[in-house]
Amino acid sequence: MIKGISFLRAAGSQAEFERLSEFFSALGFAPGKGWHEEASRGASFLAPMGNVEIVAGEMPFAAETVIEVTQLDAVRETVLAWFRGHGENPAVAEIAETDWKSRIFSVEPVPGHSIAFWEWTEPLKGKPVAIEGDLSAEGMRFAIVTARWNAVITDRLLEGALDGLLRSGAKRADIEVVRVPGAWEVAAAARTLAELGKADAVITLGCLIRGETAHYEAIYNEVARGIGQSQQETGVPHAFGVLTCETLEQALNRAGVKAGNKGFEAAVAAIEMVSLKRKLVVEGEGA
């Protein structure tokens, strides 16, 4: 019985190998087993579904690696953020409509490695209709609670969160930023803001580094519990952007240096949850 299939593509250099590995990791692919031997080294990346397609005639697109996604616009923003994290001008194509009822864009993370991302324009056709949030922040109010401790990290997270909100249509006047001493105080401030009803969603940002904090796990558990409890008891969506890292280097990578900006991702999650909540309320009132 056939178990699986892999397509191998050689990187032109060790630098290209590292860059491609980082690119796929930033997009959320699950890491596979891979290998590391004297003669060669390989990294694998797993997706929930895969298939082999053989084309007769003209190829519909130039990329050899084609990845089906949901929320194509958010994927493109993640790709753009990855390039910006490297201090580069993003060489990312605009999203285009196809004649086979889909949307697609392509990117070359390294020269010669063209990757296309696409989604169906009617992804729910023939399936039960799902309610999902949109990624437009127009008319929404947000509060961002950010810790001053490890400011070299949290300031980057704050920049990413503001970038995500403003790019999605939020107005700066509708974004309140609150600074607290450290991650421990984030949950209390988030709870206060949620209870005041001044924000449609609260974005929580902080950074805990195990190597610098002896009681790292105790703090993290309480911070996570407090933020989750605040969300559940107030009904106001809370986006979790508190990093828990082993080293400063890992924290920097997750704050926009290499692996995307978790502040940006938390902002996108907050927007989607506000939109989803509004849709659910409307549906409930119409029931």
Side-chain angles (χ1 to χ4, degrees):
M1 295 290 291
I2 295 173
K3 182 179 178 180
I5 186 167
S6 298
F7 291 97
L8 305 185
R9 179 82 180 269
S13 64
Q14 181 65 25
E16 285 192 359
F17 174 85
E18 298 291 348
R19 184 176 171 90
L20 286 169
S21 297
E22 180 191 307
F23 179 77
F24 285 117
S25 296
L27 287 168
F29 280 85
K33 188 174 181 180
W35 75 90
H36 196 168
E37 301 175 353
E38 290 186 8
S40 66
R41 178 183 177 190
S44 61
F45 300 90
L46 310 179
M49 181 180 69
N51 61 285
V52 178
E53 294 188 13
I54 301 173
V55 178
E58 184 178 350
M59 286 284 288
F61 30 73
E64 294 182 359
T65 303
V66 184
I67 301 170
E68 182 181 359
V69 301
T70 60
Q71 300 183 9
L72 186 68
D73 297 275
V75 171
R76 187 172 183 275
E77 284 299 324
T78 300
V79 171
L80 290 170
W82 183 83
F83 275 99
R84 288 194 295 267
H86 286 76
E88 302 173 7
N89 292 321
V92 183
E94 296 292 335
I95 294 176
E97 301 284 341
T98 74
D99 56 4
W100 37 283
K101 296 183 179 180
S102 67
R103 304 165 69 230
I104 192 169
F105 78 89
S106 61
V107 58
E108 285 195 10
V110 299
H113 287 259
S114 182
I115 302 170
F117 295 88
W118 70 280
E119 69 174 357
W120 292 109
T121 53
E122 300 179 29
L124 300 178
K125 185 175 181 180
K127 301 180 182 179
V129 176
I131 303 173
E132 294 183 290
D134 300 319
L135 294 178
S136 171
E138 187 174 354
M140 296 180 182
R141 301 168 302 159
F142 298 92
I144 303 176
V145 182
T146 181
R148 288 196 303 270
W149 187 257
N150 285 323
V152 67
I153 305 298
T154 59
D155 283 352
R156 290 172 177 264
L157 296 176
L158 177 59
E159 290 175 3
L162 290 171
D163 184 32
L165 295 177
L166 297 173
R167 283 176 178 270
S168 301
K171 295 181 179 179
R172 186 62 184 85
D174 292 330
I175 305 172
E176 183 174 10
V177 178
V178 176
R179 295 184 182 272
V180 296
W184 178 261
E185 293 78 19
V186 167
R191 177 63 174 258
T192 300
L193 288 163
E195 290 178 339
L196 288 173
K198 297 172 63 177
D200 296 308
V202 181
I203 300 168
T204 59
L205 306 175
C207 178
L208 290 167
I209 301 175
R210 184 188 296 274
E212 299 177 356
T213 310
H215 48 305
Y216 166 93
E217 291 185 1
I219 293 180
Y220 170 71
N221 289 334
E222 288 303 306
V223 171
R225 183 192 62 80
I227 293 172
Q229 186 174 334
S230 176
Q231 175 174 247
Q232 293 167 9
E233 295 182 359
T234 64
V236 176
H238 288 43
F240 195 83
V242 179
L243 301 184
T244 53
C245 304
E246 298 293 327
T247 63
L248 176 61
E249 180 182 8
Q250 186 183 81
L252 285 167
N253 288 342
R254 298 177 67 190
V257 173
K258 289 185 178 180
N261 189 304
K262 299 303 177 183
F264 184 96
E265 293 176 15
V268 171
I271 296 167
E272 184 172 353
M273 288 306 297
V274 173
S275 174
L276 177 61
K277 180 181 177 180
R278 291 178 176 180
K279 290 182 179 182
L280 292 173
V281 169
V282 170
E283 184 173 273
E285 291 174 347

